[in-house]
Amino acid sequence: MLRRLGADVVEVRLPKELGGLDGLVVPGGESTTFTRLMRLYGLDEALRSFAGPVLGTCAGMIVLDRNHLGLVDVEVERNAYGRQVASFEADLRLAGEDEPLRGVFIRAPRVRDAGPEVHERFLELVREESNVRA
Protein backbone atom coordinates (compact mmCIF):
# COMPACT_ATOMS: atom_id res chain seq x y z
CA MET A 1 0.00 0.00 0.00
CA LEU A 2 2.82 2.43 0.81
CA ARG A 3 4.35 1.81 -2.61
CA ARG A 4 1.00 2.59 -4.23
CA LEU A 5 1.04 5.88 -2.35
CA GLY A 6 4.46 6.72 -3.78
CA ALA A 7 6.72 5.68 -0.91
CA ASP A 8 10.11 4.08 -1.59
CA VAL A 9 9.85 1.02 0.69
CA VAL A 10 12.78 -1.05 2.02
CA GLU A 11 12.88 -3.92 4.53
CA VAL A 12 14.75 -3.38 7.79
CA ARG A 13 16.12 -6.33 9.75
CA LEU A 14 19.33 -4.92 11.24
CA PRO A 15 20.15 -1.65 13.04
CA LYS A 16 22.45 -0.44 10.25
CA GLU A 17 19.50 -0.56 7.82
CA LEU A 18 17.70 2.25 9.69
CA GLY A 19 20.13 4.86 8.40
CA GLY A 20 18.67 7.29 5.90
CA LEU A 21 15.04 6.30 6.44
CA ASP A 22 12.40 9.01 6.62
CA GLY A 23 9.86 6.81 8.43
CA LEU A 24 9.37 3.29 9.69
CA VAL A 25 6.46 0.84 9.67
CA VAL A 26 6.60 -2.13 12.04
CA PRO A 27 4.17 -4.68 10.56
CA GLY A 28 1.97 -7.32 12.10
CA GLY A 29 3.24 -10.70 13.18
CA GLU A 30 3.93 -12.19 16.60
CA SER A 31 4.92 -9.47 19.07
CA THR A 32 6.77 -11.82 21.43
CA THR A 33 8.90 -13.10 18.55
CA PHE A 34 9.49 -9.52 17.33
CA THR A 35 10.68 -8.46 20.76
CA ARG A 36 13.07 -11.39 21.15
CA LEU A 37 14.59 -10.93 17.70
CA MET A 38 14.91 -7.17 18.17
CA ARG A 39 16.85 -7.72 21.39
CA LEU A 40 19.02 -10.42 19.80
CA TYR A 41 20.10 -8.16 16.93
CA GLY A 42 20.15 -4.86 18.86
CA LEU A 43 17.29 -3.48 16.82
CA ASP A 44 15.31 -2.52 19.94
CA GLU A 45 17.92 0.03 21.05
CA ALA A 46 18.44 1.24 17.48
CA LEU A 47 14.69 1.84 17.16
CA ARG A 48 14.62 3.80 20.41
CA SER A 49 17.03 6.30 18.84
CA PHE A 50 15.24 6.43 15.46
CA ALA A 51 14.19 10.05 14.97
CA GLY A 52 11.65 9.66 12.14
CA PRO A 53 7.93 8.96 12.37
CA VAL A 54 6.87 5.38 13.14
CA LEU A 55 3.70 3.40 12.51
CA GLY A 56 2.89 -0.02 13.94
CA THR A 57 0.19 -2.32 12.63
CA CYS A 58 -1.19 -5.13 14.81
CA ALA A 59 1.86 -6.68 16.55
CA GLY A 60 3.96 -3.74 15.39
CA MET A 61 1.68 -1.42 17.34
CA ILE A 62 2.20 -3.57 20.45
CA VAL A 63 5.99 -3.46 20.07
CA LEU A 64 5.99 0.34 19.70
CA ASP A 65 3.61 1.09 22.60
CA ARG A 66 4.39 2.65 26.01
CA ASN A 67 4.96 -0.71 27.68
CA HIS A 68 7.49 -2.02 25.16
CA LEU A 69 9.76 0.27 23.10
CA GLY A 70 7.87 3.42 24.12
CA LEU A 71 8.04 4.98 20.65
CA VAL A 72 4.31 5.64 20.27
CA ASP A 73 2.22 7.22 22.99
CA VAL A 74 -0.40 4.46 23.13
CA GLU A 75 -1.28 1.71 25.56
CA VAL A 76 -2.17 -1.47 23.70
CA GLU A 77 -4.01 -4.56 24.94
CA ARG A 78 -2.75 -7.75 23.27
CA ASN A 79 -5.32 -10.30 22.06
CA ALA A 80 -8.16 -7.93 22.91
CA TYR A 81 -10.52 -9.73 20.55
CA GLY A 82 -9.64 -13.30 21.48
CA ARG A 83 -6.84 -15.82 21.23
CA GLN A 84 -5.40 -17.03 17.92
CA VAL A 85 -7.48 -20.22 18.08
CA ALA A 86 -10.59 -18.05 17.82
CA SER A 87 -9.54 -16.71 14.39
CA PHE A 88 -11.70 -17.79 11.46
CA GLU A 89 -12.61 -17.20 7.81
CA ALA A 90 -16.09 -16.66 6.39
CA ASP A 91 -17.75 -15.63 3.14
CA LEU A 92 -19.41 -12.23 3.42
CA ARG A 93 -22.33 -11.14 1.24
CA LEU A 94 -21.98 -7.49 0.23
CA ALA A 95 -24.83 -5.35 -1.07
CA GLY A 96 -24.52 -4.90 -4.82
CA GLU A 97 -21.96 -7.69 -5.25
CA ASP A 98 -22.75 -11.04 -6.91
CA GLU A 99 -19.83 -12.93 -5.40
CA PRO A 100 -19.12 -13.10 -1.67
CA LEU A 101 -15.97 -11.57 -0.23
CA ARG A 102 -13.78 -13.95 1.78
CA GLY A 103 -13.25 -12.34 5.18
CA VAL A 104 -10.43 -13.30 7.53
CA PHE A 105 -11.07 -12.48 11.17
CA ILE A 106 -8.02 -12.65 13.41
CA ARG A 107 -7.17 -11.80 16.97
CA ALA A 108 -6.13 -8.20 17.22
CA PRO A 109 -4.81 -5.69 19.71
CA ARG A 110 -6.90 -2.78 20.95
CA VAL A 111 -5.66 0.70 21.79
CA ARG A 112 -6.64 1.26 25.42
CA ASP A 113 -5.30 4.81 25.60
CA ALA A 114 -3.71 7.22 23.14
CA GLY A 115 -1.82 10.45 23.72
CA PRO A 116 -2.85 13.61 21.84
CA GLU A 117 -0.05 13.43 19.24
CA VAL A 118 -0.75 9.92 17.90
CA HIS A 119 -3.56 11.06 15.61
CA GLU A 120 -1.11 12.60 13.10
CA ARG A 121 -1.03 11.08 9.64
CA PHE A 122 2.04 8.86 9.13
CA LEU A 123 2.87 9.63 5.50
CA GLU A 124 2.37 13.34 6.09
CA LEU A 125 4.97 13.18 8.84
CA VAL A 126 7.33 11.23 6.61
CA ARG A 127 6.98 13.81 3.84
CA GLU A 128 7.61 16.63 6.33
CA GLU A 129 10.72 14.81 7.59
CA SER A 130 11.96 14.37 4.01
CA ASN A 131 11.47 18.06 3.21
CA VAL A 132 13.29 19.21 6.33
CA ARG A 133 16.43 17.31 5.35
CA ALA A 134 16.26 18.26 1.67
Side-chain angles (χ1 to χ4, degrees), residues 54-122:
V54 295
L55 170 70
T57 61
C58 206
M61 181 173 58
I62 295 168
V63 169
L64 295 173
D65 84 347
R66 294 175 188 150
N67 297 319
H68 293 85
L69 292 178
L71 294 176
V72 178
D73 189 15
V74 295
E75 182 180 331
V76 178
E77 178 185 355
R78 290 183 73 213
N79 300 326
Y81 300 100
R83 309 291 304 164
Q84 187 160 347
V85 296
S87 299
F88 65 96
E89 293 184 30
D91 287 331
L92 305 173
R93 290 269 172 211
L94 301 176
E97 297 292 327
D98 294 332
E99 296 295 320
L101 173 71
R102 188 70 174 167
V104 179
F105 300 87
I106 62 168
R107 64 187 177 147
R110 173 178 30 223
V111 175
R112 282 257 179 234
D113 184 55
E117 299 297 318
V118 298
H119 304 295
E120 298 292 327
R121 296 175 64 205
F122 177 72

Side-chain angles (χ1 to χ4, degrees), residues 10-24 43 46-47 50:
V10 296
E11 285 189 20
V12 173
R13 296 180 188 272
L14 299 171
K16 65 182 180 181
E17 297 167 336
L18 288 171
L21 298 181
D22 296 320
L24 182 70
L43 194 54
L47 285 175
F50 182 73

Side-chain angles (χ1 to χ4, degrees), residues 18-23 50-53 126-134:
L18 288 171
L21 298 181
D22 296 320
F50 182 73
V126 169
R127 287 185 188 111
E128 287 175 15
E129 183 75 17
S130 296
N131 291 333
V132 169
R133 291 190 296 170

